Amino acid sequence: MALTDEEINALKPDAIPPAQNEAKVEGVGVTKAAMPAGKCFVSAMLAGAFIAFGALYFCVFLGDATLPFGVQRVVGGLCFCLGLVLVLCCGAELFTGNMLMLCAKASRRIGWAGLARNWAIVWLGNLAGALVAVAIVVLADIPAMNGGGVAEAMVSVAAGKVALPPVALLFKAILCNIFVCLAVWIGFAARTVTDKVVGILLPISAFVACGFEHCVANMFFLPTGLVLNAMGVGAAGAVTLGGVAYNIVLATAGNIVGGAVVALAYWYVYAKRER
Protein backbone atom coordinates (compact mmCIF):
# COMPACT_ATOMS: atom_id res chain seq x y z
CA MET A 1 0.00 0.00 0.00
CA ALA A 2 1.46 3.36 -1.04
CA LEU A 3 2.16 5.98 1.61
CA THR A 4 0.31 9.28 1.49
CA ASP A 5 2.19 12.57 1.14
CA GLU A 6 1.41 13.35 4.78
CA GLU A 7 2.89 10.02 5.92
CA ILE A 8 5.97 10.55 3.77
CA ASN A 9 6.48 14.03 5.25
CA ALA A 10 6.18 12.61 8.76
CA LEU A 11 8.99 10.14 8.00
CA LYS A 12 11.40 12.73 6.67
CA PRO A 13 14.43 13.11 8.98
CA ASP A 14 14.90 16.81 8.25
CA ALA A 15 13.14 19.55 10.24
CA ILE A 16 9.79 20.95 9.14
CA PRO A 17 10.53 23.93 6.83
CA PRO A 18 9.60 27.43 8.08
CA ALA A 19 6.47 27.93 5.95
CA GLN A 20 4.99 24.60 7.04
CA ASN A 21 6.08 25.26 10.60
CA GLU A 22 4.22 28.59 10.63
CA ALA A 23 1.06 26.75 9.55
CA LYS A 24 1.65 24.20 12.33
CA VAL A 25 2.09 26.99 14.89
CA GLU A 26 -1.21 28.52 13.75
CA GLY A 27 -3.00 25.18 14.12
CA VAL A 28 -1.59 24.69 17.61
CA GLY A 29 -2.73 28.23 18.47
CA VAL A 30 -6.29 27.39 17.43
CA THR A 31 -6.23 24.29 19.63
CA LYS A 32 -4.85 26.22 22.59
CA ALA A 33 -7.52 28.92 22.30
CA ALA A 34 -10.26 26.26 22.44
CA MET A 35 -8.81 24.28 25.37
CA PRO A 36 -11.20 23.90 28.35
CA ALA A 37 -10.26 26.27 31.17
CA GLY A 38 -9.64 23.58 33.78
CA LYS A 39 -7.34 21.52 31.59
CA CYS A 40 -5.56 24.66 30.44
CA PHE A 41 -4.93 25.75 34.04
CA VAL A 42 -3.59 22.38 35.18
CA SER A 43 -1.36 22.14 32.10
CA ALA A 44 -0.11 25.64 32.87
CA MET A 45 0.63 24.62 36.46
CA LEU A 46 2.80 21.83 35.09
CA ALA A 47 4.71 24.31 32.94
CA GLY A 48 5.22 26.65 35.91
CA ALA A 49 6.63 23.74 37.91
CA PHE A 50 8.78 22.53 35.00
CA ILE A 51 10.37 25.96 34.55
CA ALA A 52 10.86 26.10 38.33
CA PHE A 53 12.74 22.79 38.17
CA GLY A 54 15.10 24.28 35.60
CA ALA A 55 15.54 27.38 37.76
CA LEU A 56 16.24 25.19 40.77
CA TYR A 57 18.91 23.25 38.85
CA PHE A 58 20.46 26.60 37.88
CA CYS A 59 20.53 27.79 41.51
CA VAL A 60 22.01 24.54 42.83
CA PHE A 61 24.84 24.88 40.32
CA LEU A 62 25.38 28.51 41.34
CA GLY A 63 25.60 27.37 44.96
CA ASP A 64 29.34 26.92 44.43
CA ALA A 65 30.53 30.53 44.57
CA THR A 66 34.10 29.54 43.70
CA LEU A 67 33.24 28.83 40.06
CA PRO A 68 34.49 31.36 37.46
CA PHE A 69 31.90 33.76 36.02
CA GLY A 70 31.96 32.22 32.54
CA VAL A 71 31.46 28.70 33.86
CA GLN A 72 28.58 29.85 36.05
CA ARG A 73 26.78 31.52 33.15
CA VAL A 74 27.28 28.86 30.47
CA VAL A 75 26.81 25.70 32.54
CA GLY A 76 24.10 27.36 34.63
CA GLY A 77 22.30 28.22 31.39
CA LEU A 78 22.50 24.61 30.24
CA CYS A 79 21.07 23.49 33.59
CA PHE A 80 18.14 25.89 33.18
CA CYS A 81 17.29 24.30 29.81
CA LEU A 82 15.72 21.44 31.77
CA GLY A 83 12.58 23.56 32.17
CA LEU A 84 11.78 24.14 28.51
CA VAL A 85 12.84 20.60 27.61
CA LEU A 86 10.16 19.32 30.00
CA VAL A 87 7.57 21.79 28.67
CA LEU A 88 8.07 20.91 25.00
CA CYS A 89 8.73 17.19 25.35
CA CYS A 90 6.23 16.35 28.10
CA GLY A 91 3.55 18.84 27.03
CA ALA A 92 2.44 21.87 29.07
CA GLU A 93 1.10 25.40 28.62
CA LEU A 94 3.81 28.07 28.99
CA PHE A 95 2.79 31.73 28.92
CA THR A 96 5.90 32.97 27.14
CA GLY A 97 5.77 30.31 24.44
CA ASN A 98 2.07 30.99 23.90
CA MET A 99 2.95 34.39 22.47
CA LEU A 100 3.29 32.44 19.21
CA MET A 101 -0.53 32.20 19.21
CA LEU A 102 -0.34 35.66 17.62
CA CYS A 103 0.33 33.85 14.33
CA ALA A 104 -3.19 32.37 14.49
CA LYS A 105 -4.62 35.74 15.54
CA ALA A 106 -2.92 37.53 12.64
CA SER A 107 -4.47 35.02 10.23
CA ARG A 108 -7.86 35.58 11.91
CA ARG A 109 -8.18 31.96 12.96
CA ILE A 110 -8.73 33.00 16.58
CA GLY A 111 -10.12 36.19 18.11
CA TRP A 112 -8.80 38.54 20.77
CA ALA A 113 -11.13 37.01 23.36
CA GLY A 114 -9.75 33.49 22.86
CA LEU A 115 -6.18 34.78 22.88
CA ALA A 116 -6.62 36.86 26.05
CA ARG A 117 -8.46 34.01 27.78
CA ASN A 118 -5.63 31.59 27.11
CA TRP A 119 -2.94 34.02 28.16
CA ALA A 120 -4.73 34.93 31.41
CA ILE A 121 -5.41 31.33 32.42
CA VAL A 122 -1.90 30.19 31.49
CA TRP A 123 -0.18 33.09 33.31
CA LEU A 124 -2.12 32.34 36.49
CA GLY A 125 -1.53 28.60 36.12
CA ASN A 126 2.20 29.14 35.61
CA LEU A 127 2.27 31.26 38.78
CA ALA A 128 0.39 28.62 40.76
CA GLY A 129 2.70 25.83 39.57
CA ALA A 130 5.80 27.87 40.34
CA LEU A 131 4.56 28.69 43.87
CA VAL A 132 3.84 25.02 44.57
CA ALA A 133 7.42 24.28 43.48
CA VAL A 134 8.72 27.04 45.79
CA ALA A 135 6.91 25.47 48.76
CA ILE A 136 8.19 21.98 47.99
CA VAL A 137 11.78 23.17 47.48
CA VAL A 138 11.82 25.13 50.74
CA LEU A 139 10.18 22.32 52.72
CA ALA A 140 12.66 19.84 51.24
CA ASP A 141 15.44 22.10 52.62
CA ILE A 142 17.24 22.13 49.28
CA PRO A 143 18.53 25.69 49.91
CA ALA A 144 20.64 24.28 52.79
CA MET A 145 22.82 22.36 50.30
CA ASN A 146 26.55 23.20 50.24
CA GLY A 147 26.39 24.64 53.73
CA GLY A 148 23.71 27.15 52.77
CA GLY A 149 25.51 28.18 49.60
CA VAL A 150 22.47 27.34 47.49
CA ALA A 151 20.25 29.55 49.68
CA GLU A 152 22.71 32.42 49.32
CA ALA A 153 22.73 31.96 45.54
CA MET A 154 18.91 31.98 45.46
CA VAL A 155 18.69 35.23 47.41
CA SER A 156 21.49 36.79 45.38
CA VAL A 157 19.74 35.96 42.09
CA ALA A 158 16.43 37.36 43.36
CA ALA A 159 18.01 40.50 44.82
CA GLY A 160 19.74 41.27 41.53
CA LYS A 161 16.47 40.94 39.63
CA VAL A 162 14.40 43.24 41.87
CA ALA A 163 17.17 45.87 41.77
CA LEU A 164 17.14 46.23 37.97
CA PRO A 165 16.15 49.69 36.65
CA PRO A 166 12.85 49.59 34.70
CA VAL A 167 14.22 50.28 31.22
CA ALA A 168 16.91 47.60 31.52
CA LEU A 169 14.40 45.15 32.99
CA LEU A 170 11.90 45.74 30.18
CA PHE A 171 14.44 45.26 27.40
CA LYS A 172 16.02 42.24 29.08
CA ALA A 173 12.52 40.74 29.08
CA ILE A 174 11.99 41.60 25.40
CA LEU A 175 15.27 39.94 24.45
CA CYS A 176 14.46 36.96 26.66
CA ASN A 177 11.26 36.05 24.91
CA ILE A 178 12.75 36.53 21.48
CA PHE A 179 15.15 33.75 22.43
CA VAL A 180 12.46 31.63 24.13
CA CYS A 181 10.02 31.87 21.21
CA LEU A 182 12.79 30.98 18.78
CA ALA A 183 13.52 27.91 20.91
CA VAL A 184 9.82 26.99 20.91
CA TRP A 185 9.73 27.56 17.13
CA ILE A 186 12.62 25.11 16.78
CA GLY A 187 10.73 22.68 19.01
CA PHE A 188 7.69 22.81 16.71
CA ALA A 189 9.92 22.24 13.68
CA ALA A 190 11.67 19.24 15.27
CA ARG A 191 10.61 15.70 14.36
CA THR A 192 12.12 13.80 17.32
CA VAL A 193 12.72 14.33 21.04
CA THR A 194 16.45 14.55 20.31
CA ASP A 195 15.84 17.33 17.80
CA LYS A 196 13.78 19.26 20.34
CA VAL A 197 16.37 18.95 23.12
CA VAL A 198 19.34 19.90 20.96
CA GLY A 199 17.45 22.76 19.37
CA ILE A 200 16.51 24.21 22.76
CA LEU A 201 20.01 24.20 24.26
CA LEU A 202 21.64 27.17 22.54
CA PRO A 203 18.88 29.82 22.61
CA ILE A 204 17.80 29.03 26.18
CA SER A 205 21.30 28.74 27.64
CA ALA A 206 22.16 31.98 25.81
CA PHE A 207 19.31 33.97 27.37
CA VAL A 208 20.23 32.70 30.84
CA ALA A 209 23.95 33.39 30.34
CA CYS A 210 23.13 36.93 29.20
CA GLY A 211 20.97 37.61 32.25
CA PHE A 212 17.66 38.18 30.46
CA GLU A 213 14.34 38.25 32.33
CA HIS A 214 11.74 35.49 32.00
CA CYS A 215 8.49 36.17 33.89
CA VAL A 216 7.68 32.50 34.55
CA ALA A 217 11.18 31.66 35.78
CA ASN A 218 10.96 34.73 38.02
CA MET A 219 7.74 33.31 39.50
CA PHE A 220 10.12 30.78 41.10
CA PHE A 221 13.31 32.80 41.56
CA LEU A 222 11.69 35.77 43.29
CA PRO A 223 9.27 34.10 45.75
CA THR A 224 12.06 31.69 46.73
CA GLY A 225 14.41 34.60 47.34
CA LEU A 226 11.67 36.43 49.26
CA VAL A 227 11.02 33.47 51.58
CA LEU A 228 14.70 32.78 52.22
CA ASN A 229 15.46 36.47 52.77
CA ALA A 230 12.64 36.61 55.33
CA MET A 231 14.27 33.59 57.02
CA GLY A 232 17.49 35.56 57.45
CA VAL A 233 19.48 34.65 54.35
CA GLY A 234 21.26 37.65 52.79
CA ALA A 235 20.96 41.32 53.71
CA ALA A 236 17.71 42.27 55.43
CA GLY A 237 15.15 43.63 52.97
CA ALA A 238 17.17 42.56 49.91
CA VAL A 239 14.02 41.02 48.38
CA THR A 240 10.61 42.58 49.08
CA LEU A 241 7.09 41.74 47.96
CA GLY A 242 6.92 45.07 46.13
CA GLY A 243 10.14 44.27 44.32
CA VAL A 244 8.80 40.86 43.31
CA ALA A 245 5.62 42.41 41.86
CA TYR A 246 7.61 45.14 40.09
CA ASN A 247 9.86 42.64 38.35
CA ILE A 248 7.16 40.17 37.32
CA VAL A 249 4.84 42.86 35.93
CA LEU A 250 7.55 44.49 33.79
CA ALA A 251 9.03 41.12 32.78
CA THR A 252 5.59 39.97 31.65
CA ALA A 253 5.12 43.11 29.53
CA GLY A 254 8.56 42.74 27.95
CA ASN A 255 8.04 39.04 27.29
CA ILE A 256 4.80 39.82 25.44
CA VAL A 257 6.61 42.32 23.21
CA GLY A 258 9.50 39.95 22.51
CA GLY A 259 7.19 37.07 21.68
CA ALA A 260 5.10 39.29 19.42
CA VAL A 261 8.21 40.25 17.46
CA VAL A 262 8.97 36.62 16.64
CA ALA A 263 5.37 35.55 15.97
CA LEU A 264 4.42 38.49 13.74
CA ALA A 265 7.71 38.46 11.84
CA TYR A 266 7.28 34.80 10.85
CA TRP A 267 3.59 35.32 10.11
CA TYR A 268 4.44 38.25 7.83
CA VAL A 269 7.13 36.33 5.95
CA TYR A 270 5.34 32.99 5.54
CA ALA A 271 1.58 33.51 5.96
CA LYS A 272 0.56 37.06 5.06
CA ARG A 273 -1.35 37.15 1.82
CA GLU A 274 -0.35 39.92 -0.58
CA ARG A 275 -3.23 41.92 -2.06
Side-chain angles (χ1 to χ4, degrees):
M1 182 177 177
L3 294 175
T4 66
D5 289 341
E6 184 178 349
E7 289 171 330
I8 292 171
N9 284 331
L11 293 172
K12 287 181 179 178
D14 53 322
I16 299 170
Q20 291 181 26
N21 201 38
E22 195 283 335
K24 179 180 179 180
V25 168
E26 285 191 19
V28 171
V30 172
T31 301
K32 288 176 180 290
M35 185 181 293
K39 291 185 177 182
C40 186
F41 186 81
V42 172
S43 183
M45 284 188 67
L46 290 173
F50 292 163
I51 295 299
F53 295 158
L56 172 63
Y57 195 6
F58 171 79
C59 287
V60 169
F61 182 76
L62 261 61
D64 184 354
T66 64
L67 293 170
F69 173 80
V71 174
Q72 285 188 339
R73 305 314 296 178
V74 174
V75 182
L78 291 173
C79 291
F80 183 84
C81 290
L82 168 66
L84 195 62
V85 167
L86 292 175
V87 169
L88 290 186
C89 295
C90 299
E93 291 293 301
L94 180 64
F95 175 77
T96 47
N98 281 12
M99 295 303 107
L100 291 177
M101 290 173 67
L102 283 166
C103 289
K105 175 64 188 75
S107 288
R108 300 181 180 177
R109 296 182 63 184
I110 61 174
W112 284 115
L115 184 71
R117 171 185 173 275
N118 176 274
W119 286 0
I121 293 171
V122 171
W123 192 95
L124 291 170
N126 288 169
L127 176 62
L131 292 178
V132 169
V134 170
I136 293 171
V137 166
V138 172
L139 290 171
D141 207 20
I142 295 174
M145 292 175 67
N146 194 27
V150 172
E152 292 174 5
M154 288 173 164
V155 173
S156 176
V157 168
K161 290 178 176 295
V162 299
L164 286 170
V167 173
L169 172 55
L170 181 66
F171 280 90
K172 282 176 179 283
I174 291 171
L175 285 166
C176 173
N177 215 30
I178 289 174
F179 279 60
V180 170
C181 283
L182 288 173
V184 174
W185 188 273
I186 292 170
F188 279 128
R191 294 184 181 273
T192 69
V193 171
T194 301
D195 294 346
K196 288 181 186 290
V197 173
V198 173
I200 287 166
L201 292 181
L202 286 177
I204 299 303
S205 63
F207 104 64
V208 176
C210 293
F212 297 158
E213 295 294 310
H214 188 264
C215 67
V216 181
N218 290 357
M219 291 172 183
F220 173 82
F221 283 131
L222 300 183
T224 304
L226 179 67
V227 170
L228 294 175
N229 191 229
M231 293 169 64
V233 180
V239 187
T240 65
L241 186 59
V244 171
Y246 154 78
N247 177 285
I248 291 178
V249 168
L250 272 184
T252 298
N255 289 165
I256 291 171
V257 174
V261 168
V262 175
L264 296 179
Y266 276 112
W267 172 82
Y268 178 81
V269 172
Y270 294 109
K272 185 177 184 297
R273 300 291 183 262
E274 298 296 338
R275 293 182 179 179

